[in-house]
Amino acid sequence: MIRVVLAVVVATALFGVSLPAAERVERDRNGELATAELSSLAREADSLADGNAALEAGRAPAGTTVVVDPPDPTLTDGGRLLVGNDRLVWAPRTGRNRTVESAVPIRVETPLVLSGRTPLRLSLVSTGGTTVVRVRRARVQKRSRAQTARVRGTPVDRLRLSV
């Protein structure tokens, strides 16, 4: 009986010592995955601006649809991606925010808060002589097989890069 009690006490102590390290690893993992997602979004915006000419409002702009997938919390830490005017930010529940820069200005009608897999529509437009990439949630019809998200003509399931 004493051995069982001693084993439980030792196991509890080891768990208590290892939990902060596991939380830190989870926070770092999610930060890296989220930064990779935002970097992919910024690269697609830059690629769209490099390969196309911006059109004035009222004309059909060049565009692409991408799928952004924030990391799922697996132990303790979660967060969300924030897309705002010239802002691509990972905001974890605990810890510091991480920001990704884009070479081309990014514009949104209202700030987007992404906590789950979300298709986004990127459009290259010219406003007041400045070329910007407008980002908004993609409108995908339910049960439509023809509206698969594509990046450079290749179907994508998600833009997650392994770390």
Side-chain angles (χ1 to χ4, degrees):
M1 181 67 176
I2 293 176
R3 288 182 185 174
V4 172
V5 171
L6 185 59
V8 169
V9 168
V10 169
T12 303
L14 289 174
F15 181 73
V17 168
S18 65
L19 190 57
E23 289 176 349
R24 191 170 38 258
V25 168
E26 175 72 10
R27 189 178 317 116
D28 291 344
R29 174 194 163 272
N30 283 347
E32 291 299 321
L33 291 173
T35 302
E37 289 291 315
L38 292 174
S39 294
S40 294
L41 179 62
R43 277 194 307 274
E44 287 305 316
D46 296 343
S47 175
L48 184 63
D50 288 342
N52 298 287
L55 300 177
E56 294 295 329
R59 297 181 61 192
T64 188
T65 301
V66 297
V67 177
V68 177
D69 192 9
D72 297 324
T74 56
L75 183 63
T76 58
D77 197 40
R80 58 185 188 232
L81 298 175
L82 305 173
V83 180
N85 287 337
D86 295 326
R87 291 184 58 215
L88 300 173
V89 178
W90 165 246
R93 288 188 191 136
T94 59
R96 64 179 180 84
N97 291 352
R98 295 185 182 200
T99 303
V100 173
E101 300 293 325
S102 175
V104 64
I106 293 179
R107 297 291 180 261
V108 294
E109 291 174 4
T110 60
L112 302 174
V113 179
L114 311 174
S115 57
R117 188 169 187 249
T118 307
L120 298 176
R121 181 72 182 161
L122 281 62
S123 303
L124 184 67
V125 297
S126 177
T127 57
T130 304
T131 300
V132 298
V133 172
R134 184 176 57 216
V135 179
R136 55 175 71 162
R137 292 180 192 270
R139 294 185 179 120
V140 179
Q141 296 175 1
K142 296 195 185 238
R143 298 185 181 159
S144 175
R145 289 186 226 154
Q147 291 195 16
T148 304
R150 297 184 178 273
V151 176
R152 292 192 194 111
T154 305
V156 295
D157 183 37
R158 53 180 71 171
L159 291 176
R160 177 169 287 170
L161 301 175
S162 59
V163 177

